[in-house]
Amino acid sequence: MTEAILLVGGKGTRLRPLTVNTPKPMVPAAGVPFLTHQLARAKAAGVDHIVLATSYLAEVFEPYFGDGSRLGLHLEYVTEVEPLGTGGAIRNVASHLRSGPDDPVLIFNGDILTGLDIPALLDEHTTSGADVSLHLSRVEDPRAYGLVPTDATGRVQAFLEKPQTPEEIVTDQINAGAYVFRRSVIDTIPTGRPVSVERETFPDLLSSGAHLQGMVDSTYWLDLGTPQAFVRGSADLVLGRAPSPAVPGRCGDCLVLPTAEVAQDAKLTGGTVIGENARVGEGARIFGSTVLADAVIEPGAVITDSLIGKGARIGARTVLTGAVIGDGAHVGADNELQTGVRIWCDATLPPATLRFSSDQ
C-alpha cells in the first residue's frame, strides 16, 4: 500500500458566485463532491492513507469524509494557519506521514481532474530510482503553462517559465500536477514560509543534481479552475470520458439522482447532472450542465454548459448558455443569458429582463 498527500488549495473562490460557503472540491461533480472522485481513484490505485492539506474552510471536509473508512481509506486533515504554497503545504503535513525515508509518497492536486494511470507513475518512480517523479501531459498550446523538457529516458532537463515566443516552446510537455516524492526529499523543503514546488523546490532539486523523472501520460486531464471547466469536468465524468469509480450510476448522456423529478418529455444530454430533489419541467432541454440539489427548471427552459446552484429557479422559456447561477437565485421567465454571465446567490432577475439575441 502507498500513502498520499492531497493538496486542497485556495482556488475555491473562483466558483463564486455559485456559493460563498462551500469550497469547490465539495461542490457536486457527477453527483458527489468532486473530492470524492479524487479519493476513490487513489483508493483504486492501492493508496490506503491520505493526508488532506487544506488552506480554507477545512471544517467542511472532515464532517463529510470523516476518517475515510466509508471509502476504505484512512484520512487525516492538516490546515495551514497561513497560506504556504504547494511546497510549503507538502512540508507542513510531513509529520503525519508513516513512510520510511526511501518510500514513495503520492502527491496530487485537488483542482485537477485526470485519468492518470497512478500505478504506472509509481512504477516509473521505482524503476527509474528517481527522487521525484512528475506526471507530464502534452497540450496543443503550451504557452499558458510551464514547460518540462525531458531526455530520451524521461529524465527532466529543465523547468521553463511560460514561453513568450515560438522559439521558447521547446516541448509540448507540461507539469500536470501529480507527483511521487521519495519520502526523505519532503524533509528538505523549508518550513515556516511559503514554498512553490514549481518555482523553487523542483528547480533547486534539479540544480543540486537530484534525479527528477517525467512520465508522459496523455489520458484525460483538466484543470477545474473556472466554473466552465468544472461543468465540463462533471459532464465528462458522466459521459465516461474522465474515469472515476465514484460516479453514482452508469455512464451515459445524463445522470439523474434518485430523488429528482424530470418531466417525461424533457431532454437531458451531454453529460447533464440533475441533483437531489431538483425538478425539471415539461419541454425543458438541458445539455452538458450541472443542476444542483433542490433547483427548479421550469417548462421550456433551454440550458447549455451551465451551472445551476442549489435551490435556484430558472423560469419558463429562459435560455442559458455558459451561465453560473448562484444558490437560491431566481432567473425569471423569458430571459436569455449568454456565456460568462454570473447571477449572485439569492438574487432575482425579473421576467423578460435581459436578452442577447438581435431583433432579427
Side-chain angles (χ1 to χ4, degrees), residues 28 257 274-279 291-296 308-312 327:
L257 296 191
I274 307 299
E276 296 176 348
N277 300 314
R279 291 187 286 126
V291 177
L292 297 184
D294 303 311
V296 176
I308 312 302
K310 183 177 180 180
D327 293 350

Side-chain angles (χ1 to χ4, degrees), residues 142-155:
R143 288 175 297 176
Y145 305 94
L147 308 184
V148 187
T150 56
D151 65 15
T153 68
R155 188 157 181 160

Side-chain angles (χ1 to χ4, degrees), residues 105-323:
V105 178
L106 173 69
I107 298 169
F108 56 111
N109 193 313
D111 285 321
I112 301 295
L113 178 61
T114 176
L116 169 67
D117 186 339
I118 296 173
L121 181 62
L122 289 164
D123 184 64
E124 177 82 8
H125 179 79
T126 301
T127 57
S128 67
D131 296 297
V132 177
S133 297
L134 297 85
H135 170 210
L136 306 180
S137 184
R138 290 193 172 101
V139 296
E140 289 186 11
D141 184 359
R143 288 175 297 176
Y145 305 94
L147 308 184
V148 187
T150 56
D151 65 15
T153 68
R155 188 157 181 160
V156 173
Q157 301 297 291
F159 292 91
L160 307 176
E161 288 299 316
K162 297 175 182 178
Q164 302 300 311
T165 66
E167 292 75 21
E168 292 177 306
I169 303 177
V170 298
T171 181
D172 59 356
Q173 297 175 176
I174 66 166
N175 176 0
Y179 321 111
V180 180
F181 274 62
R182 189 189 303 272
R183 170 64 183 85
S184 57
V185 174
I186 293 175
D187 291 331
T188 68
I189 299 173
T191 61
R193 65 173 177 85
V195 180
S196 166
V197 290
E198 301 87 355
R199 295 181 176 85
E200 181 176 346
T201 303
F202 292 156
D204 286 355
L205 285 169
L206 200 61
S207 63
S208 71
H211 180 176
L212 277 70
Q213 185 74 9
M215 187 193 83
V216 177
D217 184 314
S218 296
T219 54
Y220 186 95
W221 184 86
L222 183 66
D223 182 343
L224 301 181
T226 66
Q228 288 81 5
F230 192 90
V231 172
R232 180 72 264 152
S234 179
D236 287 343
L237 284 161
V238 174
L239 293 167
R241 295 170 180 168
S244 170
V247 176
R250 298 178 63 180
C251 293
D253 249 359
C254 65
L255 174 65
V256 179
L257 296 191
T259 55
E261 297 180 15
V262 178
Q264 189 171 2
D265 64 346
K267 187 174 182 180
L268 312 177
T269 57
T272 287
V273 180
I274 307 299
E276 296 176 348
N277 300 314
R279 291 187 286 126
V280 179
E282 295 177 354
R285 289 180 288 154
I286 308 177
F287 176 87
S289 299
T290 295
V291 177
L292 297 184
D294 303 311
V296 176
I297 312 301
E298 295 184 356
V302 179
I303 300 172
T304 303
D305 299 334
S306 296
L307 186 56
I308 312 302
K310 183 177 180 180
R313 190 178 193 96
I314 308 303
R317 299 172 302 282
T318 282
V319 176
L320 304 179
T321 302

Side-chain angles (χ1 to χ4, degrees), residues 35-94:
L35 211 61
T36 309
H37 300 289
Q38 302 278 59
L39 297 172
R41 292 200 73 246
K43 168 62 179 176
V47 175
D48 64 345
H49 176 224
I50 299 179
V51 183
L52 275 70
T54 68
S55 60
Y56 67 102
L57 290 176
E59 68 274 9
V60 174
F61 303 113
E62 190 166 2
Y64 185 88
F65 293 109
D67 63 3
S69 57
R70 182 166 51 89
L71 296 172
L73 293 165
H74 177 235
L75 300 181
E76 296 187 62
Y77 306 83
V78 178
T79 303
E80 300 168 11
V81 177
E82 298 290 339
L84 293 172
T86 48
I90 293 168
R91 183 64 178 87
N92 191 49
V93 306

